[in-house]
Amino acid sequence: MDLASIVYLGVTFGMFVIFALIVIRTYSRKRKDEGEIAKYQMLDDD
Amino acid sequence: MWERKPVLLIVLATVAILIGTIITMVLPFAWVNTEADRIESVTPYTALQQEGRDIYIREGCNNCHTQTVRPLVPEVLRYGDYSKSGEFVYDRPFLWGSKRTGPDLARLGGKYPDAWHYKHMESPRSMVPKTNMPAYGWITKNQLDPQMIQRKMDVLGFPYTTDEIKALGDKNEMDAMVAYLQKLGSDIPWRAAATTEIVGELINPFTGVDHDTMEPWEDLYKENCAACHGDHMEGVIGPKLVGADYYDEILFQIIYTGIADGGMPSFSNLGTDKVWKLVNFIRYYGQGEGH
Amino acid sequence: MENQPYNQAIVRSFVNWSIVWGLVAVLVGVIVSLQMVEPDLNFPPYFTFGRLRPVHTNAGIYGWGVGMIFATFLYMVQRLCKVPLWSDKLAKFQLWFFNATIIASAVTLLLGYTTSKEYHEMEWPIDVMVVILWVVFSINIIMTILKRKDEQMYISLWYMLAAIIAVAILYIVNAAAVPVSLFKSYSAYAGTNDANVQWWFGHNAVAMVLTAPFLAMFYYFLPKSTGVPIYSHRMSIIAFWSLIFMYLWTGAHHLLWTPVPDWIQTLAMGFSIMLIAPSWGSVFNGYLSMNGQWHQMRENYLVKFLILGITFYGLQTLQGPMQAIRSFSAFIHYTDWVPAHIHMGTMGWVSMIAFASIYYLVPRIYGRELYSIPLANLHFWLILVGQLIWSISLWIAGVLQAGMWNAMNPDGSLTYTFMETMVEMYPYWWARSFGGMIYMTGLIVFIYNLWMTAKKGGSIAAQTTVETTTVEGRA
Ligand code: HEM
Ligand code: HEM
């Protein structure tokens, strides 16, 4: 494998990891209420 | 974290946006328009051609015409050799377009004689009855402004001579447009390379034709040839065909491959069947008084 | 609503002016569609197809689209942050400067001052105006968000912020040019580079003008209209990050098979296909929000516009990735198929959401109930039918044309000349004009309805009922 392929794979893998982290963080049980609160607040009478 | 901090959200969103941008938009500058792309025979536009190009842009011809031939078989057959990156290094802006309401113009240069363009631009429907291209005869009335053009050439850094600029004073916008159209795609010698070799023997598939067989073929002549050779083969931009006494095979060759330097376009895109019909048509009516 | 400090007047003005530009866009659209079938309708020098078409596209995207973005963002930001606008003066300036910019664009385009770059045709002095306009707008939105009351930002605000930043970057980079005179400049990039930069801009103008802001509207006006929250806020967040990340890679799908390096084309193709996921994330979020609420499709005309709008978006984001595949692109690129795709997005998705937003805003900005709901329903059906005729006839036309361009005889020569393929388009182009006229009739019905509302709609005694409906919890 040449350098270009290693960089290519590394970047691709890195992006997937970042994506996975965002998903895990967003969907963690701990943050369930926090993550959904905005959708109720926006319905407040204005 | 970011859902409560708008500034952080802005920063992260910017980063997300910049990754794709850097890789697909900034990095390519290292590959494109470099020495590897360069084609020796491609030259900058002359003052007259560049002005024609600017008029092309002003009139929005790019809304109907593209200027890039893709490396696909039917497309190369229809328009000519596919486009190379190095052919566009002097194009600011690029004019590839996104819609082919009219045909691609990337390989137009040298396809028609100047006279054809003057007539076609003046009144497209007189040459191609069913076209929807607007008439541009009115640009003939606009004289060129040599000073302004000189300024443009300076900004672009293209070479020019003072004589060349002076000569622009007698020209109008149509002259500039035609000069530009004739330059399009002709920097690489693709026409010579593309001359279609016809393999095998040429045999006229139609024998014993008479007036009745010929009747429906008249439209073929009207649509493709009459604009240059006249409704009755009497000759207009092209020579008269009455009395053009060639063997079938020669006639076929002329029509199929055209006469590149003489302004007779190639009609290989008609397909062999239709070209043979035209051969017979011309042989039949060209013998006598025309028709 | 006088007791509220929110600035409604500016929203009303933006709505009114957007509708004016929307009508101009559609009218000019019908005119250019007729010029394509009858070239005698070209009136040189100013009113030829080549000059009018950019007036149509820019009036549509910038006059109608961006005008509605201004209107709704200025509205949503106050409501979602529960604070009044940061600066009313700036907003007022923005309104008049916006109209000045649109008028200047239309006039200069007709005069032939153009860069030829699609959706970026205006010459450099107008680029300067656009930048000022956008900066003023951005400052007002961002400052209002900074002083908000609700800590957690709703997803609409995310899309708004991303769109604001992205448009700024895209527009400025693609505008780079060397001026020769006040109305002529040469691109800072040449040939293949210029093409790549232009379509990086062009496709992301679709993403950051015609997609992200309208998703912000959808996410706001759907729950507001139904009274039920969106299905999942967290899903919308995942879709958000994926969408804004992936879009920027896809510009070269407009340049498949051109001299642009192959690897850029391949990336564009791959990312375009991946884009289905975040796009449909929003579509599903919309549909699932309707769980148990589908009866509102019958009872609440607002919901009809919104759900049809998101359905058109769903269709767009399947069609688009398909067009981004090399083999399919080889077939339909440059044909009339592409305008069918575009107009399903602009007349369907973008305009449907804009119409719904306006209907929702009417009682709030005019202080009156809508004059006539039956007319709103008529409007709905006219634009739906008009748009379907438009797109379906051109899909057929595009496939037919592509088939003829590619047809070859057994001996390897082409079957049809260019003109033989082009004359086949005329019936479909007529059908398109016809569909466009139906659509325009719908628009006129809409304008009449608003006009009558402003003049004599029933005044609002109580707040509209939808808003006080109890909120069902669903997490
Ligand atoms: C995942 C989403 C989408 C993808 C992958 C996509 C893909 C494409 C592709 C490949 C083309 C070029 C077609 C060609 O010339 O061969 C195109 C054109 C276009 N699309 Fe989409 N599309 C998407 C969604 C949308 C949406 C939602 C709109 C909203 C209005 C839209 C508006 C346009 C416009 C205006 C053009 C024309 C560009 C031009 O002037 O050539 N697209 N799209
Ligand atoms: C009655 C409604 C409409 C009609 C009859 C119409 C007609 C047309 C026509 C004839 C074209 C040129 C197509 C070609 O060159 O082949 C066009 C292009 C375009 N229109 Fe419309 N249009 C309408 C509504 C809209 C609206 C509301 C928008 C935007 C919000 C819009 C955005 C565009 C865009 C972006 C293009 C460029 C397409 C491309 O680059 O290929 N149109 N329209």
Side-chain angles (χ1 to χ4, degrees):
Chain A
M1 238 170 37
D2 59 357
L3 187 69
S5 344
I6 293 169
V7 172
Y8 177 87
L9 275 180
V11 171
T12 309
F13 185 72
M15 290 187 314
F16 272 107
V17 169
I18 294 173
F19 178 70
L21 288 178
I22 294 176
V23 174
I24 291 168
R25 181 179 176 281
T26 310
Y27 275 94
S28 74
R29 279 217 176 276
K30 211 167 78 228
R31 288 205 178 70
K32 182 168 169 179
D33 294 340
E34 200 190 332
E36 296 291 349
I37 187 161
K39 77 178 186 191
Y40 301 110
Q41 280 176 352
M42 68 85 65
L43 280 175
D44 289 351
D45 210 2
D46 47 23
Chain B
M1 184 166 68
W2 53 66
E3 43 284 80
R4 276 190 241 144
K5 298 205 170 62
V7 178
L8 182 63
L9 182 68
I10 290 177
V11 172
L12 290 175
T14 310
V15 171
I17 288 165
L18 285 182
I19 296 174
T21 297
I22 289 169
I23 296 182
T24 65
M25 192 277 276
V26 181
L27 276 189
F29 278 90
W31 273 269
V32 175
N33 291 0
T34 54
E35 271 314 304
D37 265 5
R38 196 160 297 286
I39 300 175
E40 214 53 62
S41 57
V42 175
T43 53
Y45 296 97
T46 64
L48 190 62
Q49 292 162 348
Q50 179 61 39
E51 184 58 12
R53 191 169 197 272
D54 288 343
I55 298 164
Y56 183 98
I57 291 171
R58 186 189 73 198
E59 294 313 321
C61 310
N62 52 296
N63 286 300
C64 283
H65 291 289
T66 57
Q67 286 191 15
T68 172
V69 181
R70 299 176 294 175
L72 303 166
V73 174
E75 199 150 317
V76 171
L77 280 176
R78 192 178 297 282
Y79 299 116
D81 197 10
Y82 69 89
S83 298
K84 325 278 187 286
S85 186
E87 293 183 80
F88 301 101
V89 291
Y90 299 112
D91 285 13
R92 288 172 197 265
F94 80 114
L95 286 173
W96 295 354
S98 67
K99 176 81 205 302
R100 276 185 191 151
T101 301
D104 188 272
L105 301 181
R107 295 282 174 227
L108 185 73
K111 178 176 175 186
Y112 299 114
D114 287 357
W116 187 91
H117 284 299
Y118 279 96
K119 266 184 88 175
H120 180 257
M121 291 292 290
E122 170 87 36
S123 166
R125 286 214 151 180
S126 71
M127 311 288 276
V128 186
K130 290 183 192 129
T131 181
N132 66 358
M133 173 155 153
Y136 287 98
W138 59 275
I139 65 172
T140 315
K141 296 197 204 81
N142 301 342
Q143 289 303 119
L144 298 183
D145 172 357
Q147 256 166 359
M148 181 65 186
I149 299 175
Q150 183 170 15
R151 210 145 96 222
K152 290 176 172 178
M153 294 297 278
D154 288 337
V155 168
L156 288 165
F158 291 167
Y160 61 86
T161 62
T162 37
D163 288 347
E164 192 187 339
I165 299 293
K166 234 187 271 148
L168 296 172
D170 320 324
K171 306 258 188 213
N172 63 43
E173 292 187 345
M174 187 69 91
D175 302 324
M177 177 67 88
V178 174
Y180 170 61
L181 294 175
Q182 293 293 23
K183 153 100 169 169
L184 277 176
S186 55
D187 275 349
I188 59 170
W190 69 274
R191 253 182 229 286
T195 347
T196 334
E197 282 295 330
I198 302 162
V199 285
E201 232 178 317
L202 287 173
I203 297 167
N204 189 344
F206 302 99
T207 44
V209 287
D210 57 19
H211 190 79
D212 292 341
T213 356
M214 221 70 87
E215 188 85 42
W217 301 351
E218 183 166 351
D219 281 348
L220 268 181
Y221 177 84
K222 284 250 150 69
E223 279 165 22
N224 297 295
C225 323
C228 289
H229 293 289
D231 281 343
H232 306 286
M233 300 191 191
E234 73 278 20
V236 191
I237 292 167
K240 70 176 177 10
L241 297 179
V242 180
D245 196 12
Y246 293 107
Y247 291 119
D248 289 356
E249 308 88 81
I250 307 279
L251 214 42
F252 183 92
Q253 280 279 10
I254 292 176
I255 302 171
Y256 199 82
T257 55
I259 305 172
D261 306 328
M264 163 74 193
S266 149
F267 283 91
S268 58
N269 63 8
L270 284 180
T272 44
D273 182 64
K274 287 177 193 152
V275 173
W276 275 121
K277 286 176 178 162
L278 283 165
V279 167
N280 287 283
F281 188 83
I282 289 166
R283 291 275 283 175
Y284 190 83
Y285 291 109
Q287 303 305 342
E289 305 301 288
H291 118 102
Chain C
M1 275 182 273
E2 284 74 40
N3 55 358
Q4 282 174 349
Y6 296 149
N7 187 342
Q8 320 267 37
I10 195 70
V11 178
R12 185 174 55 220
S13 305
F14 267 114
V15 165
N16 292 344
W17 280 106
S18 311
I19 295 173
V20 170
W21 300 126
L23 184 64
V24 170
V26 168
L27 187 66
V28 179
V30 171
I31 294 172
V32 292
S33 77
L34 290 170
Q35 285 178 331
M36 284 180 71
V37 281
E38 188 36 84
D40 287 340
L41 293 174
N42 286 284
F43 300 101
Y46 308 118
F47 304 102
T48 57
F49 181 85
R51 292 193 188 185
L52 273 174
R53 189 184 187 271
V55 172
H56 165 63
T57 60
N58 287 299
I61 296 178
Y62 296 113
W64 167 234
V66 171
M68 278 309 294
I69 291 173
F70 287 162
T72 54
F73 278 26
L74 290 174
Y75 180 86
M76 289 190 290
V77 78
Q78 302 184 72
R79 303 300 168 127
L80 286 173
C81 297
K82 299 198 170 79
V83 287
L85 216 49
W86 182 68
S87 165
D88 291 341
K89 282 216 190 76
L90 217 50
K92 189 110 200 152
F93 169 76
Q94 187 196 337
L95 174 72
W96 294 111
F97 205 64
F98 164 70
N99 284 319
T101 309
I102 299 292
I103 293 168
S105 306
V107 170
T108 53
L109 287 177
L110 290 179
L111 289 173
Y113 302 131
T114 171
T115 65
S116 87
K117 293 191 174 187
E118 270 184 279
Y119 319 129
H120 211 298
E121 280 95 346
M122 282 74 83
E123 267 296 351
W124 67 271
I126 295 186
D127 283 348
V128 174
M129 292 176 81
V130 171
V131 171
I132 295 173
L133 188 61
W134 201 259
V135 168
V136 165
F137 168 60
S138 311
I139 291 177
N140 220 350
I141 296 288
I142 293 173
M143 294 309 284
T144 309
I145 292 180
L146 287 180
K147 60 171 194 169
R148 75 200 179 284
K149 291 231 177 73
D150 277 347
E151 243 203 315
Q152 291 279 349
M153 291 190 290
Y154 183 59
I155 189 66
S156 295
L157 290 175
W158 298 39
Y159 275 111
M160 286 160 64
L161 284 175
I164 283 175
I165 296 303
V167 168
I169 299 174
L170 292 161
Y171 201 85
I172 290 177
V173 173
N174 196 44
V178 186
V180 183
S181 68
L182 193 53
F183 292 111
K184 178 73 195 168
S185 64
Y186 289 114
S187 174
Y189 321 105
T192 308
N193 277 328
D194 195 39
N196 198 45
V197 174
Q198 154 63 22
W199 283 112
W200 162 81
F201 162 84
H203 190 69
N204 291 295
V206 169
M208 298 301 167
V209 176
L210 300 178
T211 297
F214 287 84
L215 283 173
M217 293 177 211
F218 177 74
Y219 277 123
Y220 181 82
F221 291 106
L222 182 73
K224 281 295 194 184
S225 305
T226 58
V228 189
I230 56 159
Y231 167 72
S232 166
H233 195 251
R234 288 176 297 169
M235 183 159 114
S236 72
I237 288 170
I238 303 293
F240 169 84
W241 287 115
S242 323
L243 188 103
I244 66 162
F245 175 70
M246 289 197 240
Y247 248 110
L248 280 295
W249 297 69
T250 57
H253 66 210
H254 293 263
L255 296 168
L256 298 176
W257 300 101
T258 67
V260 167
D262 272 347
W263 61 269
I264 308 176
Q265 300 181 23
T266 306
L267 278 174
M269 183 168 124
F271 274 88
S272 300
I273 292 164
M274 290 196 289
L275 260 178
I276 296 176
S279 307
W280 273 79
S282 295
V283 177
F284 278 129
N285 221 337
Y287 285 160
L288 291 171
S289 311
M290 291 295 289
N291 246 339
Q293 300 296 325
W294 287 104
H295 59 91
Q296 291 207 31
M297 281 289 273
R298 252 175 296 123
E299 296 152 8
N300 187 345
Y301 67 99
L302 276 175
V303 175
K304 252 191 335 225
F305 279 93
L306 288 162
I307 292 300
L308 241 294
I310 199 75
T311 303
F312 275 130
Y313 177 67
L315 291 175
Q316 279 296 95
T317 52
L318 290 178
Q319 219 185 100
M322 200 163 85
Q323 292 163 194
I325 298 172
R326 271 207 186 82
S327 51
F328 195 71
S329 173
F331 194 62
I332 54 83
H333 191 39
Y334 305 130
T335 69
D336 276 287
W337 171 283
V338 181
H341 163 72
I342 296 164
H343 286 82
M344 184 156 276
T346 53
M347 299 162 79
W349 155 243
V350 165
S351 297
M352 283 274 188
I353 300 297
F355 289 135
S357 310
I358 295 174
Y359 279 129
Y360 176 85
L361 291 174
V362 159
R364 291 159 184 81
I365 59 180
Y366 291 106
R368 304 257 174 81
E369 285 299 354
L370 188 69
Y371 171 70
S372 161
I373 291 180
L375 280 183
N377 281 317
L378 177 65
H379 169 217
F380 175 83
W381 288 109
L382 287 174
I383 60 170
L384 178 61
V385 170
Q387 143 53 219
L388 288 178
I389 295 178
W390 207 121
S391 281
I392 292 173
S393 52
L394 283 213
W395 276 335
I396 301 173
V399 171
L400 188 72
Q401 192 177 28
M404 292 178 81
W405 283 354
N406 286 296
M408 302 221 298
N409 297 322
D411 66 358
S413 56
L414 293 169
T415 312
Y416 302 101
T417 63
F418 184 85
M419 278 312 287
E420 282 170 330
T421 71
M422 193 222 157
V423 294
E424 295 298 322
M425 296 297 106
Y426 281 123
Y428 301 95
W429 286 344
W430 276 115
R432 180 251 305 273
S433 294
F434 177 65
M437 286 176 203
I438 296 180
Y439 191 93
M440 192 163 70
T441 313
L443 187 57
I444 290 168
V445 169
F446 169 70
I447 293 171
Y448 172 77
N449 205 357
L450 290 196
W451 180 261
M452 295 307 282
T453 305
K455 263 179 62 183
K456 56 174 170 203
S459 69
I460 302 180
Q463 265 283 16
T464 6
T465 45
V466 272
E467 256 166 292
T468 47
T469 346
T470 46
V471 177
E472 283 171 45
R474 195 186 318 124

